[in-house]
Structure formats: structure tokens, C-alpha cells
């Protein structure tokens, strides 16, 4: 009935065919090896990055402390007038008692320099906690100054000629005597997490930066999550498809690609300039980051809404659900894992963002953690920026340590994203 | 004999559940349905057959205004259910869809429990006054969907865990839970195996006692098995509409004959 087309004889065993087959296999293998090589390079780079950060940063997680027997001299300390109390004299007397042979104010000051500048605040805090200590002698562990910390960790080479060394022979001798007496020990550096920033590396910590980043991210989330989801739902489910909605879509996609420093300039002009909001505050930082995160959340939410199978919408419409019931009772719950994943990835991006925060002044030197989102503060990336800029040797390792802390938070957020995706994922 | 049939037909016509007049559907510039007029009787299974793309599903979706959800679709003409124009501005499509239930090609239970699947429609339309009332509605719907015996011990397990045939019967139960008057089925058996198909067909025959059932099918054997009336669509036209027996044994139009005998389609 149907016309038969004559077949062309093809010789599958001919030399041309087999050489073509070989060439094809070669191309396939080339592609495979190129892929393996690029994955290998990526892992190598990641490895180098991690090794360099960890090798330069691990020492910041340990801080050298020295134990000194402090005599809380009633003559130097006035419990009722602590600001005028002379804690430096107390420390000097303590060190004098330790090294009776040292003479002269200048030499004694050099000796007291072994102790961190924060030692006087440590003993002041003890007095505040317990005023009865006045007149007593108590063994107190205080951090040593950064240079001695470096010496104890082996970063200062004793073989270097004295004039090129940061500590002279006498200073090293004092310190070695303390070591011999078993007064020096390196302990975990809790100050890195529980202190705010400081000029002195041995006292500097990330508390202010972590709290600042937390406030900024919380502000960012509170602003961008509902607005982003709302915008995405409207655009995806309710907006008419026309030129205007196409224009909006193109612009949202473009916004996601705008360099972050531009958002910083915008925030500087609008939030700080026009509205006069508090400079350097995590609240303004969070608003700026929200501007950046919004397009990411909108795009991720729209993709998640699109991925919900149309059969579910039809099923809901078919039993007489209204459009908003379809969206809020069926589509949105099914899209939630995708939305949450996109949001967390957007927030992780915001956590690491530096440029916009620099422009609104979150790189200020602030020695106390913010009590509210409206106080001046730094954030983790800007703290890294500040420390990377500081000349003291102790800040080099602290910069890397701060990077590790930031990476730790990022890994945690991504882990949460993966967990949420797996936890709420549904199959049809 | 012939006269008797005509008389019977006249009576049936007057009690048409759905009557469509000069319905035209456009998807953008595509003219998908051309001047279709048809009367669908109550307590009858009406089959829509025709080759792919002939418009039978499109027409079916006009009957519960599912085409409203497609932006570029435009429906002209008049469709009345019980004399009420369903495209009248005073008609709420949401309520219409509760009255005109629909079952789709692919079983599409919600990713919720069997109970919640069936209870969803009654809940959003406020049909149950109490929990016990809702339980009763769910049981009745599942019994009508011929799923009660299999599902009664696992009501709170996910509907997606059922087999394909059971899922489709769950979808039918879900559709009848809102007590519709018309049940539209868009190729309900195309994703099912022969045994599940036989069960669903048996169920369709059973549903005829209470509802006016309209079924779109690709399988002519299925149309012949389950329907009393058959409409043949071709290229957007309703070519022929009549008693199923007559369409299959003595088609009046040459195109119908060609399709039935397998020459087009």
C-alpha cells in the first residue's frame, strides 16, 4: 500500500566508518580528560587556598598567657574611684616583685611591657567583681603582649642579630625566666570570639564583627525575604504577561548582576545622605545588603515556583480552588525548599559582601560590640579588611583566623540550605 | 422504529444538562474550536474522540472554564449548564469548577494524605459542618471512587504512595467529593495499565447513575465500551455526534468513517 523507498547499502565495517568511529571516540575521551583536569585544577586551587589560610591563621586560635601574682595594693586602688586608680602601678609592682634585680623606671616599664596592655583592665574587672580582693595577693593569668606571643609561638628567630630583632636580648631573657618558672602557657584564644576589636592584636576579637554581621543579616532577611517572595509570587502567578512585565523581569535579572559597590553608593546617597540614618550601623548595612539580595531571592523564588508541576495547579483549580488558594495552599509549600535554598545562598553572598559596607562606614575602628542594630559596628568581611590593613604581626594570623570564621559561617549556612532542601523535598 | 428513536432523542434533548451553541476558541491566532454546538445529556457518558490536536480536550476545558487560566485563550459562543450561561459575568468560575468536576490525564494527587486529598475540595467550599461530617464526606467520595476498601486503613498515608490506577481513582474521589453534577475526564486512562483501566472504566459506568460524565479518549474501544453518546472532532470541528452504537457501526460522515476504520488519526 505504501510506496517502498529503496535502501542504500551501508557498509558498517568499511575503513572509513571505523576511522570515523575512532575519531569520535577520541573526541569523547578528550572531553572527558579536559573535564577531569579542570576539576583537578579547581580542587588544587581550593586546597592551596585552604592550606595558606589555615597555615597562617591557626596560630591565632591560641594565645600565650602569663600567670602573675598580683598584689592588689590598697594605696594604688581606690574601690570607690576606680577610674582614678593606678592599675599600671600595681602591675609594675607585681613585675618588680618577680624580677627584684631590675632597676630604673625605664627598664621596669620595658619589663612590664611583657604583659598585654589589657592586663590592667583584667585586674580592674577582678576588683569590680570582688572588691574584697584589695589587700590580697592573687595569681592572675593575663595575655602577654603580641611580640612576646610571637616569640613564644616561634615566629621570632632568636638567631637574628639583636639590632634586627624586635626584642632585645634582655627582654628575651626576662621572658625566658617566666617560661622556666612555668608561668607561661598557651591556651585557646577565647578572646578571638568574645572580645571586640582592639589596637592590640592579643586583645582583638571578632565579637563586634560577628554581632554586626548577625544584625545586618537579620535586617537583610527581614526586609528581603517577604518582599522578594511577594514580588516573585506576583510576577510568576498573577502579573499579566506584557511589555511592562517583561521590562520588570529584564531589570530584575540585570539588578542581580550590578556590582555591589554601586549598591553601596546608592545606600550612601539615599539612606545616609537623604534620610540621615546612623552611619556605620548594621541596620543600614542590612538594608544595603537587602537591596543586593532581593534580585537573587526573586529569581530563585520564581524558578522554584516554575518548577512546581502544572498538574498540581490543575488539580487544585479542578476542585474549585481560587487562584490565591492554589498559590498559597499548593504551589508555595511545594516551592518552599527551593525558595529557602535560594534565600540562604543569597544571604551567604550578603554575609561575605564587603564593598557596600565599606561605603556606609562599617569599616570604622570600634572597640565595643553593638548593643542594638543602630549602633556603630563592623561586620566580618570589613573586620577582615581592617585587620589585613594593620601592620602588627599578630593581625596577620588574626586576619586568616577571621577568614576561617567567615568561611565557617558560610559552610554552616550552605549546610542548612542543603538540609532544608532534602528535608522538604517532595517527589511526585 | 426510526420514529421511536427520534421521539426518544427529542425528550433527551430537552433535558440536556449541558448545551453549547456556536462555541469558538482561539489560542492567540490559532482557531482551535470552530462553531461547535452540542447537547450533553444528564446521567449519560459522552465520549469525545478524534485525532490528536482536534480540539476535544480544549472543548472539554471550556465546560469548566479551565481555559480561563491560559492568558491567550479566548472563548466565544454560549455554553449553558442547566440553562445557566457559565460564561456569564455573574458566574464565579471557582464555584463552577466545584459543580463541574474534572479528572486529568495523568493522576495528579496532591502530595498530602489520601484523606486530605479528598477533603480539600469540601473544606475550601465549606461543605462540612464538623469533623464527623467531613469524615463522612470523605468516606462517601472514596466509596464512589471505588477506593474505600483499599484506602480505609491508610487514610493518613500520602496519596502519592498509591499505585497509578489507585491514584487515578483517588483523583476521581477527590472530584466527586464536592458533589458535582458534571464530571469531565480528560483521557483518564492513558497513563494506566489495562487492569487499572478496566477498573476505572467500570467506575465510570457506575458514576453515570449520578452524574453526567464527559470523557475525552484516544481509545476508540474505550469510547465504545463506556459511552452512550459519542462526538467525533476533527480539526476543531464537531464532525458528528450521536449514539455511540450508530457512530461506530454506521457513521454518516466520511471523515468519521475514515477515523473509525483507522485511516486518519
Amino acid at each position: 500500500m505504501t510506496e517502498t523507498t529503496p535502501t542504500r547499502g551501508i557498509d558498517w565495517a568499511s575503513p572509513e566508518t571505523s576511522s570515523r568511529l575512532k575519531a569520535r571516540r577520541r573526541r569523547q575521551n578528550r572531553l572527558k580528560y579536559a573535564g577531569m583536569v579542570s576539576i583537578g585544577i579547581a580542587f588544587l586551587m581550593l586546597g592551596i587556598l585552604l592550606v595558606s589560610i589555615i597555615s597562617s591563621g591557626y596560630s591565632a586560635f591560641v594565645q600565650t598567657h602569663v600567670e602573675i601574682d598580683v598584689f592588689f595594693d590598697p594605696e594604688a586602688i581606690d574601690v570607690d574611684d576606680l577610674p582614678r586608680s593606678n592599675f599600671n602601678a600595681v602591675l609594675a609592682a607585681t613585675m618588680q616583685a618577680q624580677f627584684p634585680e631590675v632597676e630604673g623606671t625605664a627598664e621596669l616599664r620595658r619589663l612590664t611591657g611583657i604583659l598585654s596592655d589589657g592586663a590592667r583592665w583584667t585586674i580592674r574587672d577582678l576588683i569590680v567583681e570582688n572588691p574584697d580582693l584589695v589587700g590580697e595577693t592573687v595569681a592572675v593569668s593575663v595575655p602577654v603582649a603580641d611580640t612576646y606571643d610571637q616569640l613564644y609561638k616561634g615566629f621570632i628567630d632568636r638567631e637574628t642579630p639583636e639590632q634586627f630583632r624586635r626584642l632585645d636580648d634582655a627582654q628575651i631573657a626576662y621572658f625566658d625566666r617566666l617560661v622556666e618558672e612555668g608561668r607561661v602557657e598557651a591556651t585557646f584564644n577565647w578572646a578571638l570570639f568574645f572580645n571586640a576589636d582592639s589596637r592590640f592584636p592579643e586583645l582583638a576579637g571578632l565579637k563586634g564583627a560577628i554581632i554586626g554581621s548577625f544584625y545586618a543579616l537579620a535586617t537583610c532577611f527581614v526586609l528581603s525575604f517577604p518582599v522578594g517572595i511577594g514580588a516573585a509570587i506576583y510576577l510568576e502567578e498573577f502579573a499579566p504577561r506584557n511589555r511592562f512585565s517583561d521590562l520588570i523581569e529584564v531589570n530584575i535579572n540585570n539588578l542581580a548582576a550590578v556590582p555591589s559597590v554601586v549598591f553601596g553608593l546608592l545606600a550612601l546617597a539615599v539612606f545616609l545622605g537623604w534620610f540621615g540614618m546612623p552611619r556605620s550601623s548594621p541596620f543600614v548595612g542590612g538594608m544595603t545588603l537587602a537591596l543586593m539580595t532581593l534580585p537573587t531571592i526573586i529569581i530563585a523564588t520564581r524558578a522554584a515556583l516554575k518548577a512546581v508541576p502544572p498538574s498540581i495547579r490543575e488539580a487544585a483549580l479542578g476542585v474549585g480552588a481560587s487562584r490565591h488558594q492554589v498559590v498559597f495552599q499548593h504551589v508555595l509549600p511545594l516551592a518552599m525548599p527551593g525558595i529557602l535554598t535560594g534565600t540562604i545562598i543569597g544571604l551567604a553572598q550578603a554575609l561575605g559582601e564587603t564593598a557596600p559596607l565599606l561605603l556606609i562606614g562599617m569599616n570604622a575602628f570600634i572597640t565595643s560590640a553593638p548593643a542594638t542594630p543602630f549602633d556603630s559596628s563592623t561586620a566580618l568581611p570589613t573586620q577582615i579588611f581592617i585587620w589585613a590593613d594593620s601592620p602588627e604581626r599578630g593581625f596577620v594570623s588574626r586576619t586568616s583566623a577571621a577568614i576561617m570564621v567567615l568561611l565557617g559561617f558560610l559552610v554552616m549556612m550552605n549546610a542548612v540550605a542543603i538540609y532544608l532542601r532534602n528535608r522538604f523535598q517532595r517527589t511526585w | 422504529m426510526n420514529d421511536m428513536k427520534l421521539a426518544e432523542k427529542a425528550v433527551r434533548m430537552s433535558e440536556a444538562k449541558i448545551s453549547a451553541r456556536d462555541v469558538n476558541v482561539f489560542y492567540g491566532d490559532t482557531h482551535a474550536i470552530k462553531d461547535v454546538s452540542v447537547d450533553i445529556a444528564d446521567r449519560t457518558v459522552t465520549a469525545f474522540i478524534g485525532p490528536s490536536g482536534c480540539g476535544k480536550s480544549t472543548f472539554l476545558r471550556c465546560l469548566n472554564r479551565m481555559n480561563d487560566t491560559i492568558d491567550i485563550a479566548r472563548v466565544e459562543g454560549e455554553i449553558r449548564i442547566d440553562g445557566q450561561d457559565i460564561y456569564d459575568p455573574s458566574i464565579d468560575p471557582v464555584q463552577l469548577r466545584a459543580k463541574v468536576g474534572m479528572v486529568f490525564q495523568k493522576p495528579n494527587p496532591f502530595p498530602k494524605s489520601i484523606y486530605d486529598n479528598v477533603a480539600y475540595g469540601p473544606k475550601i467550599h465549606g461543605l462540612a459542618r464538623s469533623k464527623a461530617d467531613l469524615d463522612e464526606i470523605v468516606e462517601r467520595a472514596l466509596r464512589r471512587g471505588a477506593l474505600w476498601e483499599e484506602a480505609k486503613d491508610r487514610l493518613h498515608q500520602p496519596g502519592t504512595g498509591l499505585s497509578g490506577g489507585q491514584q487515578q481513582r483517588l483523583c476521581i474521589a477527590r472530584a466527586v467529593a464536592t458533589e458535582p453534577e458534571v464530571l469531565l475526564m480528560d483521557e483518564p486512562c492513558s497513563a494506566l495499565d489495562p487492569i487499572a483501566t478496566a477498573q476505572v472504566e467500570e467506575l465510570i459506568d457506575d458514576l453515570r447513575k449520578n452524574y453526567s460524565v464527559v470523557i475525552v479518549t484516544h481509545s476508540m474501544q474505550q469510547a465504545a465500551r463506556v459511552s452512550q453518546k459519542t462526538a467525533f472532532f476533527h480539526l476543531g470541528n464537531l464532525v458528528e455526534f450521536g449514539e455511540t452504537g450508530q457512530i461506530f457501526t454506521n457513521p454518516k460522515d466520511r471523515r468519521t468513517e475514515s477515523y473509525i476504520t483507522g485511516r486518519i488519526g
Side-chain angles (χ1 to χ4, degrees), chain A residues 241 311-312 314-322 325 329-330 334 426 428, chain B residues 61 66 69 71 94 97-98 102 104 108-112 120 124-125 174:
Chain A
R241 295 268 178 281
S311 64
I312 294 295
E314 284 192 327
L317 283 171
V319 294
S322 68
Q325 283 171 327
Q329 294 172 358
H330 296 281
L334 291 175
R426 306 222 195 206
W428 286 277
Chain B
R61 283 159 173 267
M66 279 295 266
T69 57
D71 284 344
V94 168
R97 289 188 202 121
M102 188 159 190
F104 298 86
N108 56 356
F110 300 129
K112 299 179 178 192
Y120 181 69
I124 58 172
H125 295 291
R174 181 177 64 192

Side-chain angles (χ1 to χ4, degrees), chain B residues 84-171:
Chain B
Q84 171 73 53
D85 183 357
I86 60 168
Y87 280 88
D88 191 87
S90 67
I91 291 284
D92 179 15
V94 168
Q95 208 154 13
L96 172 74
R97 289 188 202 121
K99 233 173 92 175
V100 183
M102 188 159 190
V103 177
F104 298 86
Q105 187 168 357
K106 214 181 119 219
N108 56 356
F110 300 129
K112 299 179 178 192
S113 71
I114 294 172
Y115 184 94
D116 287 340
N117 260 283
V118 180
Y120 181 69
K123 258 187 210 160
I124 58 172
H125 295 291
L127 301 182
R129 279 176 300 277
S130 64
K131 176 81 178 70
D133 203 14
L134 190 61
D135 288 347
E136 195 202 313
I137 290 176
V138 169
E139 178 176 341
R140 198 164 52 215
L142 282 170
R143 280 188 194 283
R144 275 205 193 144
L147 194 64
W148 176 250
E149 291 305 322
E150 290 151 80
K152 65 180 175 192
D153 298 325
R154 48 192 290 198
L155 284 177
H156 295 285
Q157 284 168 30
T160 42
L162 297 168
S163 74
Q166 289 172 325
Q167 286 190 14
Q168 194 61 299
R169 278 180 280 146
L170 174 61
C171 292

